[in-house]
Amino acid sequence: MEKDLSSYRKSYQKGALLIKDTPSAPMELFKRWFNEADRILPEKENNAMALTTIGLDGYPKSRIVLLKKITEEGFIFFTNYNSDKGKSIDKTANVCLSFFWQELERQIIIKGKAEKVAPNISDDYFKSRPIGSQLGALVSNQSEVIKNRGELEDKLQELETIYKNKKIERPKHWGGFIVRPIEIEFWQGRPNRLHDRIQYQLQANKSWIKNRLSP
């Protein structure tokens, strides 16, 4: 079935991004934009981001994950290390993160290298999760083929009984990754498709250079 989308049009005119108004380091601008998204769009899941990895089959693959911590070193999310994305990162650490806040007409695109966080960071976050989410990490062999949903629900019910009134330890195959950025691009929609694009690139001395890119 064909569907012609060529008539879809939207004029972007909610903001501007001038290089003279940007800080010397990108994390300051990231936090500013993220805080604005949280303030203006409190009902949205503003920490949702697309994570793109290079799969074991050589193809790029993107999926939505949740950013859980922002540090000066990078961006932290949590997952099953045995999942498709976990195995992909283990083989190829180069990844991309993308945020899109449609209502603000803004994107942020981050290229970087992913690595596992220290075990104590994963332990602390796992303890903060609701019990159901903790058990979910035990139930799911993420990305593996299963017969049906009943298989998951039966296993969850079994574990609820086993761990009733017991502390749930973080499974070793579950934890965090930090993406340490080497390039961050901030994109602000503008009229006539002449969007503002400011790109930061990390230098060998750990400083950043920034440039305006043509839309």
Side-chain angles (χ1 to χ4, degrees):
M1 182 187 75
E2 292 187 3
K3 183 174 177 61
D4 185 358
L5 306 179
S6 60
S7 63
Y8 280 33
R9 294 284 186 275
K10 178 176 173 56
S11 177
Y12 298 106
Q13 49 195 1
K14 291 187 177 179
L17 181 62
L18 305 180
I19 200 166
K20 69 180 181 65
D21 297 328
T22 58
S24 58
M27 294 305 286
E28 181 181 340
L29 183 54
F30 179 89
K31 290 176 184 177
R32 184 192 308 169
W33 273 24
F34 188 88
N35 289 338
E36 287 178 7
D38 257 358
R39 175 173 55 82
I40 298 170
L41 309 168
E43 75 286 357
K44 299 292 185 179
E45 204 164 30
N46 294 305
N47 61 329
M49 61 186 183
L51 165 68
T52 301
T53 59
I54 303 299
L56 302 184
D57 58 2
Y59 283 86
K61 182 177 180 179
S62 299
R63 77 286 283 163
I64 302 299
V65 299
L66 297 178
L67 176 66
K68 288 299 182 179
K69 191 170 185 179
I70 307 165
T71 72
E72 290 303 319
E73 289 73 39
F75 307 87
I76 296 175
F77 67 95
F78 295 86
T79 190
N80 186 316
Y81 289 142
N82 294 330
S83 66
D84 181 73
K85 56 184 170 297
K87 291 176 181 177
S88 296
I89 291 171
D90 188 54
K91 181 179 179 182
T92 306
N94 297 344
V95 302
C96 182
L97 304 174
S98 297
F99 293 83
F100 179 46
W101 296 302
Q102 181 178 356
E103 294 85 352
L104 303 180
E105 300 172 353
R106 287 176 174 176
Q107 295 184 70
I108 302 177
I109 303 168
I110 301 159
K111 293 197 317 188
K113 294 184 178 293
E115 62 184 64
K116 291 178 181 177
V117 300
N120 66 295
I121 295 175
S122 294
D123 288 340
D124 289 344
Y125 177 68
F126 187 80
K127 291 174 186 175
S128 75
R129 302 182 94 202
I131 291 175
S133 295
Q134 291 180 353
L135 291 175
L138 297 177
V139 168
S140 174
N141 295 320
Q142 198 173 101
S143 303
E144 297 295 321
V145 175
I146 59 174
K147 291 184 296 184
N148 51 52
R149 182 171 180 83
E151 182 178 327
L152 296 175
E153 293 173 345
D154 290 346
K155 189 173 180 181
L156 176 60
Q157 188 173 21
E158 178 185 347
L159 290 177
E160 286 174 338
T161 300
I162 293 173
Y163 285 98
K164 186 176 182 180
N165 300 321
K166 289 184 181 178
K167 180 181 177 181
I168 305 169
E169 297 291 341
R170 175 181 67 88
K172 299 305 180 185
H173 63 265
W174 190 98
F177 282 106
I178 182 170
V179 177
R180 301 183 186 276
I182 62 168
E183 182 180 292
I184 303 182
E185 178 186 328
F186 296 85
W187 182 101
Q188 176 70 62
R190 296 296 298 273
N192 303 313
R193 296 297 187 261
L194 297 181
H195 311 304
D196 289 331
R197 297 174 62 192
I198 305 299
Q199 179 194 71
Y200 289 80
Q201 291 179 309
L202 185 64
Q203 304 302 292
N205 65 1
K206 302 301 182 183
S207 67
W208 294 87
I209 62 168
K210 57 182 174 178
N211 292 288
R212 172 175 285 276
L213 303 181
S214 174

